[in-house]
Amino acid sequence: MSRVSKERAALNREAAVVAASALIREKGLNGIGVRELMASVGLTQGALSKQFGSKERLAAEACRHAFESASEALSAAAGANDGDQPRRLTAFYLEPKAAHRSCPMAMLSLDAARCPQESAFRQAYDEGLSAMITDFTGNPPSRDRLALVAAWVGAALLINATQDEALILQIRQAVEQLSETIA
C-alpha cells in the first residue's frame, strides 16, 4: 500500500469537504452515507477516519465551507451599501440555484435543529448563521434587515418544498416587496 503525500492528503481533505458540503445541502445530513460521500470524491472510508475521525466532524467542516462559500457569493452580489442593496441581495438570494449551491441558512437549518446543541455540526451552523446575519444586518443587527434575512430563509424553505409555480411567484414577490421597504 502506498502512502499519500501531505499535499495529496490536503487536496483529498478539501475535496471531501466540498463534496460533503454539496451533498448535505442537496440531501440533508441524514440523507447521505459515508460510502456515498467518499465514493463521490474517490476515497475510501479509511481515508475519512484518518482525515476527519468521524462523519460528524466532516459534516461540521462541510457546514463551515457551505457558509463560507455562501457568504462570499452574497458579498459579491451585495455591491455598494446603498438603498438598493436589500433589493439586489433579495433578487440574488431568491434566484433559482441548484440544491448543492443553495444557502446553508435555509438548507441546513432543519438538520441543525435536529442535532444536539453540543454537536459539532450544530456549533458550525450557529457560527455560520451568526456571521452571515452580522455581515448583512450589522452589529447590533438592524431589525428591518434581520426581518428580511428571516424572510429570505423562510422563502427559500417554502420555495424548495413546493412545485406550485404560482405560489413560488407569490412568495418571491412578497419578499421582494418587503426588500423595497428596507434601507
Side-chain angles (χ1 to χ4, degrees):
M1 180 187 281
S2 66
R3 294 189 61 106
V4 175
S5 72
K6 287 183 180 183
E7 295 81 20
R8 183 80 230 147
L11 290 172
N12 289 347
R13 181 182 184 86
E14 183 178 341
V17 168
V18 170
S21 177
L23 284 171
I24 290 170
R25 283 185 276 179
E26 185 177 341
K27 296 182 176 190
L29 187 56
N30 294 320
I32 60 166
V34 173
R35 242 177 245 206
E36 176 185 11
L37 174 62
M38 299 318 286
S40 73
V41 291
L43 299 175
T44 65
Q45 286 182 283
L48 172 84
S49 287
K50 187 171 182 171
Q51 291 279 348
F52 302 98
S54 68
K55 179 183 173 184
E56 182 186 359
R57 285 186 52 205
L58 171 57
E61 285 197 40
C63 182
R64 282 186 196 89
H65 177 271
F67 273 103
E68 288 166 6
S69 61
S71 184
E72 288 171 10
L74 228 85
S75 291
N81 190 4
D82 58 18
D84 282 344
Q85 188 186 54
R87 282 191 289 276
R88 281 193 307 275
L89 287 172
T90 298
F92 172 78
Y93 193 90
L94 295 179
E95 73 186 17
K97 295 173 186 66
H100 70 277
R101 304 195 117 246
S102 59
C103 181
M105 287 191 295
M107 298 309 286
L108 301 181
S109 64
L110 297 177
D111 288 318
R114 291 183 183 111
C115 286
Q117 288 187 351
E118 66 278 358
S119 75
F121 185 83
R122 179 73 174 264
Q123 291 172 5
Y125 181 86
D126 288 349
E127 290 165 8
L129 178 66
S130 292
M132 280 190 80
I133 287 174
T134 299
D135 285 350
F136 180 65
T137 67
N139 192 7
S142 153
R143 286 183 152 232
D144 290 343
R145 285 182 172 233
L146 187 56
L148 182 58
V149 170
W152 290 347
V153 173
L157 287 169
L158 295 173
I159 287 168
N160 281 297
T162 187
Q163 296 178 10
D164 183 335
E165 291 298 325
L167 181 57
I168 290 170
L169 180 61
Q170 290 173 339
I171 292 167
R172 277 198 177 107
Q173 288 172 340
V175 176
E176 287 166 354
Q177 186 176 13
L178 174 64
S179 75
E180 292 172 6
T181 67
I182 296 171

